[in-house]
Amino acid sequence: MNETLTPVAALQPPKALASMAPKKLLINGQWRASASGKTFESLNPATGDVLAHIAEASDSDVDAAVVAARKAFEGSWSATKPFERQRLLLKLADLIDRDYDEFAMLDTLEMGMPIARSSAGRQRVVGMIRFYAGQATAIHGQSIQNSLPGTVLSYTVKEAVGVVGAIVPWNGPLSQAVWKVAPALAAGCTVVLKPSEQASLSPLKLAELIEEAGFPPGVMNVVTGAGAVGAAVAAHPGIDKVGFTGSTATGQAIVRASAGNLKRLSLELGGKSPDIIFADADLDAAVAGAANAVFTNCGQICIAGSRLFVERKIHDEFVHRVAELATRMRIGSPLDHATELGPLASRLQFDRVMGYINAGHEEGAKALAGGARADTGALANGCYVQPTVFADARDDMKIVREEIFGPVISAMPFDSVEEVVQRANNTSYGLGSGVWTRDLSKAHLVAGALKAGTVWVNCYLQLDAAIPFGGYKMSGYGRESGTEHIDHYLQTKSVVVKLA
Ligand code: NAD
C-alpha cells in the first residue's frame, strides 16, 4: 500500500471552515439553538479535531419543526403551482452549483471523503435536483373508463403526502439529503430533515441555500442530533411519511415506530452485494471495476460489491491482480487531491471495520492485501484502514455474510452459472450486484436471476437520477430516482362523478 507522505497537518482546510460558528436548528425559517441548549461535536476523522459544535434537538424542537412544516404545508405551499416549485428547485440547483466547492470540502472534512471524490459529485447532485425540478411539472392523474351503471366520470388526482421526515446517513451527506429533500419539495410536501450526527454540516448548508432560493419559511426544517432525534421523527404523529436511508436495524426500528399513525415509509437499507466475474470478461476492466466497487468512499457504500465471486479458472490470477491494485492505492489525507482512500468516517466505524478484519483472520481467510489499520507517520491519529482483499473466504464466514461498510473484499471461486446465482442470492440483502462477461446471453440470464434492485453489467456503481434505485428483501422497499420516486411523496385520490 502506498501511504502518502504528505503530512495530514500540512493540508489545512480553508480558514473560514476551520473554525465554524456553532450550528443551529432550522425551524420555521429561523435558526435557533435547541430548547435544551445541548450541543454535540462534529469531529474530523482524519485528525480527531473538533470541526464544529452542533445543536442537539430535543423532542420539543422536533415538535416545533413538525408544527412549522404542517403550517407551511396547509398554508400557501400546498397550493404552489408546479411551475413555481420547479423554478425554486432550479434556483436551488444553481446555488448548489455556485457553492459546490464548499459542500465538497465540508463532506471531506466531516466524513473523510477524499476531496477528489467529493468534488466529482457536482454533476450528480446538481443534476439530481434539476431532474426532480422537471418532475414537479410532470405530476398527473388519469381519466379512467369504468363499467358503473349510468354515466359516471372517474379520474384520479395526485396530491402531496404532507409532512415528510427525511432521515439520512453520513456516507454521502449532501447527496443523501438531496435525494430525499428534492423529490419531496417537487411533489409539494414540506420537510423535517434529520441529518446523521456524523455528517450534519453539508445538510445544514443545503438548508441555508433552500432559504436563499426563496422557499417559504417552514417548508424546510432541520433537526440535528443523534438517533433519538431520528426516533422522535419516526414516531411523530404529525409526520405523514418517512424517507429513510441507513442500516437495516434502524430501518426495522423505524417500521415499528411508524405504526402509531401508519406513516408511509420508503427504506434504503444495507447491502452485501455480489460482484460476479466470468472468465470470458474483459479482465482489465473487471479488475479495476471489482476494486472500485468496494474501495470507493473507503467501502462506505451501501452497494459495495464486497462478495467477489470469480470463475475458478481465472480466480487466483484475478484476485492477485485486485490485491496488487489495492496495495498500490494512495491512502492519506482526504484533503490531498491524489488520495484515493481517506480515513473511515468515525472512530466507531473504524472499530467496526477492524472488528470484521480481525474476524476474517480468525476464521481463516487469507489477506492478500491489507488486513490491518494504516498508521504510519501522519496517519497515526486518523481512522485509516488498509484496503483489504481476503482470499480463501467462504459463504459462511462473518465477513461474507455481514455488511462491513469498509474497504474489505472477500473473494471466492465458483464453477457454474447456476452455482454462482444461487450463492449470490443466498443473503438477506438485495441491493446491488455486478456481472462481468462478454457473453450477452449469459449477462442477461444472470441479470434476470439475481435478486437485487440493481444489476450492473460490465460496470459498477453507475447511478443516474433517471434510473430507479433500491433494494429487494432486507435492503428495503421503495425506489429512489426514476419517475416512480416522486410517487412515494404523492397520494392518489379517485374522484367518481355521477353525471345527470
Ligand atoms: P444508521 O442506521 O446508524 O443511521 C442512519 C440515520 O438514522 C442517522 O441519521 C441516525 O441518527 C438515524 N437513527 C439512528 N437510530 C435511529 C432510530 N432508532 N430511529 C430513527 N432514526 C435513527 O446508519 P449509518 O451508520 O448512518 O449509515 C450506514 C448504513 O446506511 C449502512 O447500513 C448502509 O448500507 C446504509 N446505507 C444505505 C443506502 C441505500 O441507499 N440503500 C445508502 C447509504 C447507506
Side-chain angles (χ1 to χ4, degrees), residues 167-171 176 194-197 226-227 230-231 244-247 250 253-254 268-271 302 403 405 431 469:
I167 306 175
V168 294
W170 44 263
N171 66 330
Q176 293 288 357
K194 209 305 267 174
S196 166
E197 58 276 32
F244 172 71
T245 297
S247 63
T250 306
I254 288 176
E268 295 288 348
L269 309 178
C302 49
E403 182 178 46
F405 226 56
L431 196 56
F469 177 89

Side-chain angles (χ1 to χ4, degrees), residues 344-419:
L344 290 165
S346 65
R347 185 58 53 182
L348 181 72
Q349 192 58 20
F350 172 84
D351 290 342
R352 259 190 218 152
V353 172
M354 285 310 302
Y356 278 109
I357 289 179
N358 293 334
H361 291 303
E362 279 159 23
E363 287 189 288
K366 186 171 161 204
L368 299 183
R373 66 177 300 190
D375 57 1
T376 53
L379 306 182
N381 291 333
C383 305
Y384 292 93
V385 170
Q386 296 178 12
T388 297
V389 179
F390 276 121
D392 295 343
R394 290 188 319 268
D395 293 331
D396 62 348
M397 286 180 175
K398 194 173 160 75
I399 52 169
V400 177
R401 284 182 290 110
E402 297 181 17
E403 182 178 46
I404 299 177
F405 226 56
V408 184
I409 293 176
S410 301
M412 295 166 286
F414 71 88
D415 293 298
S416 71
V417 170
E418 295 69 27
E419 174 206 335

